[in-house]
Amino acid sequence: MKRTLQLLRDIVDNAPLPIGVYTGSELKIELANLAMIKTWGKGDKVLGRSYIEVLPELGKQRIFEQALEVYRTGSAFHAKDKRVDIVIDGQQKTFYFNYCFMPLFDQQGLVYGVMNTGMDITDLHLAKEKVQSSEEQLRMAVEASGMGTYEIDMPSQSIVTSGNFSSIWDIKDTITNEKIISRIHPDDIAVREKAHLDAQQSGVISYQARIINEDKSLRWTNITGKIIRDENGEPVKITGIIEDIGRQKALEEQLRKEARDTTEELRRSNDDLQHFANLVSHDLREPVRKVKTFISRMRSEMQSDFSQRLEWYMGKIEHSAHRMQNVIEGILAYSAADKKKQPVERIDLNGILEGIKTDLELVIQEKNAILISSELPEIQGARILIQQLFYNLVHNALKFSRAEIPPKVIISSSLVQGSGGDLVQVCIEDNGIGIDKAYSERIFTAFERLHSKDQYEGSGLGLSLCRKIVERHGGTITASGERDKGAVFTVVLPLKQQSTTL
């Protein structure tokens, strides 16, 4: 018998749940296991003392009254998820317990004591509060966003909704799957069916559909969901959200309309540019050619009769006619750069450079110019445009030279890596009049001139055309230098093009 009692005491003392036994109307502590002593936090000298003496803070929480009521009536008391404030080491701490007071009866059936058991669920309570807070925040966010949520129980097909689900679907009574489908525009039923079919593999439902309101108006919606499966992989639930995207669709349509209008405006602008180019080509080139021709004939027929003053006038006319012809040719070249697609082919830049040297042979000889070039790579591009690009750059280097120094043009290249693949960097360096840093970007603007027409001829379109050609090839062009110390033009081009035309 003693061994049995000792065994029971050992079991109670080492039980993980707090257990205490209080006797008499004073609720004197007869037994408190280690878990209960640890929960109270009052030390281990508690046996023989009254319950209220050890835990006086429980008096204000009516817990002492609950235990006395059990002692007086013999009826058990149970509390679930109850807040209990206990003073430990002079500081009040808050816990949450599931606890009970059970009456203890003697052989005559009279209550002689109360057994107290409890379970500390503080962590569980705080976690539950956190979940509830998160759910409430989510609910508020869903309502504020105008979205609606839904949850479909697959076996019963019952639907639980929240937020603006009902108002979006324009359904005022009980929501069923049949009513939802009946609201979808007939042309979008197939979209829904495909989304649900795809979700059998992916587990995710996503589609856009139009809802037909009761007044027959349409509403665009975006519907997403996720299939929840049980441990056997069987679908048991679908949870998701629905969003009214009417404004988004209206904005998309507005943007599409603006894009169409802009495209049409650009088309008209390009047509106008082409008409202007045709005007220049047919109506201006011929008169300029005739002016130059008749000036040449006048020189041939009346050379000996020209006075010095008249000769000066003729020179001015001839110079202006020549400059006008340069402007006309520049405009035609600039407009032609975007006029039609050019085939992409392999281009040997060394061959391009040799051809340019031949074209500029007279200028090179007149200025005693020196052209130095390293081995250039082969690239892909539109040959006629690449020819025009490097012709303009080399011609510029020769044109903007200093009178007292023969032009020297150095052309070098190197391979570099870009995000889209291999690139070639070609540098055209000269010893000419240079570029002020403040104008290193302006010089690429159409019709931009940094020098007077009398100093240097040109249309002001050459470098603008160069940038257009480079960007059309997916590259970049920059200029640098100092005044009276030469300029460097750096062209970066892809070695390979992504398409067969440009």
Side-chain angles (χ1 to χ4, degrees), residues 73 78 148 187 197-198 248 251 253 268 339 361 365 372 379-380 403 408 413 417 446 483 492:
T73 65
H78 297 272
D187 293 345
L197 184 63
D198 293 342
Q248 176 185 328
L251 178 59
E253 181 57 34
R268 288 196 299 267
K339 185 177 178 182
E361 186 175 7
Q365 290 177 359
I372 302 172
I379 68 169
Q380 290 182 353
K408 183 178 181 180
S413 71
Q417 287 292 320
R483 185 177 296 178
V492 179

Side-chain angles (χ1 to χ4, degrees), residues 195-223:
H196 279 264
L197 184 63
D198 293 342
Q200 293 179 10
Q201 298 296 325
S202 66
V204 177
I205 301 169
S206 179
Y207 65 98
Q208 292 182 356
R210 288 163 292 178
I211 291 175
I212 303 175
N213 297 317
E214 285 190 353
D215 61 2
K216 304 305 179 183
S217 62
L218 297 179
R219 180 189 309 220
W220 270 104
T221 60
N222 185 67
I223 301 168

Side-chain angles (χ1 to χ4, degrees), residues 218-233:
L218 297 179
R219 180 189 309 220
W220 270 104
T221 60
N222 185 67
I223 301 168
T224 59
K226 184 175 179 60
I227 297 177
I228 309 299
R229 301 180 183 275
D230 61 17
E231 62 274 8
N232 299 318

Side-chain angles (χ1 to χ4, degrees), residues 272-323:
D272 292 343
L273 178 61
Q274 190 58 49
H275 292 156
F276 174 69
N278 291 336
L279 172 68
V280 171
S281 176
H282 295 99
D283 296 348
L284 294 182
R285 292 176 84 185
E286 184 60 21
V288 171
R289 187 187 68 80
K290 287 182 178 179
V291 169
K292 294 182 69 177
T293 299
F294 285 124
I295 289 173
S296 178
R297 289 181 183 178
M298 288 177 65
R299 284 187 181 281
S300 299
E301 296 179 11
M302 302 178 61
Q303 188 170 11
S304 59
D305 297 331
F306 278 171
S307 66
Q308 185 175 0
R309 187 69 174 169
L310 194 56
E311 177 63 36
W312 185 81
Y313 286 146
M314 293 294 293
K316 283 293 185 180
I317 295 171
E318 190 172 38
H319 176 76
S320 296
H322 182 66
R323 184 158 53 81

Side-chain angles (χ1 to χ4, degrees), residues 273 276-277 280 284 323-335 441-453 456 458-466 468:
L273 178 61
F276 174 69
V280 171
L284 294 182
R323 184 158 53 81
M324 185 180 292
Q325 187 174 38
N326 285 340
V327 171
I328 292 170
E329 296 298 334
I331 291 172
L332 289 173
Y334 189 77
S335 63
E441 185 63 26
R442 277 181 53 188
I443 59 175
F444 293 105
T445 304
F447 299 106
E448 184 70 40
R449 298 181 60 92
L450 303 184
H451 308 282
S452 70
K453 299 179 181 66
Y456 301 97
S459 62
L461 286 167
L463 290 177
S464 177
L465 178 59
C466 287
K468 182 177 285 191

